[in-house]
Amino acid sequence: MQFQRIYVEIGNICNLSCSFCAGTVRRKKQMTEEEFRHIVRKLKGYTDYLYFHVMGEPLLHPLLEQFLQISKENGFSVCITTNGTLLPRSEEILLRNADCIHKIAISLHAQEGNGQKDDAYIHNAISFAKKAADQDVFTVLRLWNEDSAEGLGRNTQNARIEQILHQSFPMPWKPRRKGFRLDRYIFLEYDGVFTWPTESTADQCAEGFCHGMLHQLAVLADGTVVPCCLDANGEIPLGNLFESSLQELLEQPRATNMREGLRRGELVEALCQKCTFSRRFSLK
């Protein structure tokens, strides 16, 4: 079975506490080099793209450069989701290993999500994006804090952020489905706030669709495999890659039932039935 992407949580420790993030009650952990090598070997043949994301800030990991090189050695391209605050200290590592990085998504809404306001943070993100573009690495600047049916976003700084972006990337910007192309390899992306399934109070709905288990899955820092990157607390464990192969985990009844259910348009897990994010796919 081939997945479009597999999320690998290299660590669930973060340097921020964003208002839009559910956080996790799991034990704090960062993968060791040996553990990461083991996981990567188990994922070979199942995807071309590893996403360093679930919980935690990947740029905080002291072995980031080694993990990028290990990914490259095993034929993977890496995508990174970051709050961007550590870019100044991590920029050299990222650019030095640009040949194995496909995309970096910077959550610019993290600043307001922590009650902060610092134009230098935005300028650092822009500076990095331009340097990354010179090495053919995509950068997506995210403002995922728009008002939505699920709530009001913390977005009073968006106009100021856009003003700074206009100064660095003159108009016209090329429109895209969720935002704009600002320049070669550089994009601005908007989205509305959503409720994490672990915090959802929505009525359960057994009908729906999700990309989890069909096009993507996630590996938590302790090796636990879960269906998607929104399972912050590992509430749908499919097994552990330190104990089994991925094929064995994909063939066990819980995983099979989820996959077959999604193909019928059914959500079989209670957490999925309360997930309002998955309902966005059902409306398309």
Side-chain angles (χ1 to χ4, degrees), residues 5 144 177-178 189-191 208-211 215-216 276-284:
R5 66 185 68 171
W144 283 17
R177 186 172 66 87
K178 286 190 175 184
E189 183 178 275
Y190 299 91
D191 212 337
F209 175 80
C210 182
H211 292 286
H215 304 134
Q216 59 188 250
T276 54
F277 191 85
S278 69
R279 296 176 193 183
R280 300 183 180 195
F281 306 129
S282 303
L283 296 175
K284 294 179 180 179

Side-chain angles (χ1 to χ4, degrees), residues 4-5 9 22 60 71 114-115 144 170 186 196 206 224 236 271 278:
Q4 293 177 359
R5 66 185 68 171
E9 182 187 72
L60 193 63
S71 300
N114 284 271
W144 283 17
I186 303 175
W196 288 75
T224 299
I236 310 178
L271 186 71
S278 69

Side-chain angles (χ1 to χ4, degrees), residues 171-182:
M171 297 292 281
W173 294 347
K174 185 176 181 180
R176 301 177 75 244
R177 186 172 66 87
K178 286 190 175 184
F180 300 93
R181 178 183 180 273
L182 307 185

Side-chain angles (χ1 to χ4, degrees), residues 163-232:
Q163 181 182 21
I164 296 174
L165 291 174
H166 280 299
Q167 295 169 0
S168 297
F169 305 103
M171 297 292 281
W173 294 347
K174 185 176 181 180
R176 301 177 75 244
R177 186 172 66 87
K178 286 190 175 184
F180 300 93
R181 178 183 180 273
L182 307 185
D183 204 347
R184 176 178 173 269
Y185 289 101
I186 303 175
F187 301 86
L188 174 62
E189 183 178 275
Y190 299 91
D191 212 337
V193 296
F194 63 89
T195 304
W196 288 75
T198 51
E199 300 178 335
S200 175
T201 58
D203 293 335
Q204 288 184 278
C205 179
E207 295 183 359
F209 175 80
C210 182
H211 292 286
M213 286 304 300
L214 293 179
H215 304 134
Q216 59 188 250
L217 51 77
V219 184
L220 304 182
D222 67 352
T224 299
V225 175
V226 294
C228 83
C229 63
L230 293 185
D231 190 355

Side-chain angles (χ1 to χ4, degrees), residues 1 21 23 35 38-39 53 100 110 117 178 185 259 276:
M1 186 172 183
C21 180
E35 289 171 337
H38 181 92
I39 294 299
H53 177 57
C100 64
K117 185 177 181 180
K178 286 190 175 184
Y185 289 101
R259 195 161 52 247
T276 54

Side-chain angles (χ1 to χ4, degrees), residues 1-3 6 39 41-46 213 217 225 238-241 243-253 255-256 259:
M1 186 172 183
Q2 186 78 5
F3 295 92
I6 296 181
I39 294 299
R41 287 196 297 267
K42 291 289 186 74
L43 298 180
K44 288 186 70 170
Y46 289 94
M213 286 304 300
L217 51 77
V225 175
L238 303 176
N240 195 292
L241 281 185
E243 302 168 357
S244 308
S245 69
L246 183 55
Q247 188 63 36
E248 290 171 329
L249 301 186
L250 294 175
E251 291 176 350
Q252 52 97 3
T256 300
R259 195 161 52 247

Side-chain angles (χ1 to χ4, degrees), residues 78-123:
V78 175
C79 298
I80 295 175
T81 299
T82 173
N83 59 45
T85 58
L86 302 179
L87 279 173
R89 83 172 198 185
S90 305
E91 179 178 284
E92 185 177 341
I93 290 174
L94 296 173
L95 296 177
R96 189 163 57 233
N97 294 276
D99 59 342
C100 64
I101 300 175
H102 174 66
K103 178 178 69 175
I104 295 182
I106 305 174
S107 299
L108 295 183
H109 51 290
Q111 180 168 242
E112 186 162 359
N114 284 271
Q116 301 172 5
K117 185 177 181 180
D118 180 8
D119 287 356
Y121 162 77
I122 308 301
H123 287 293

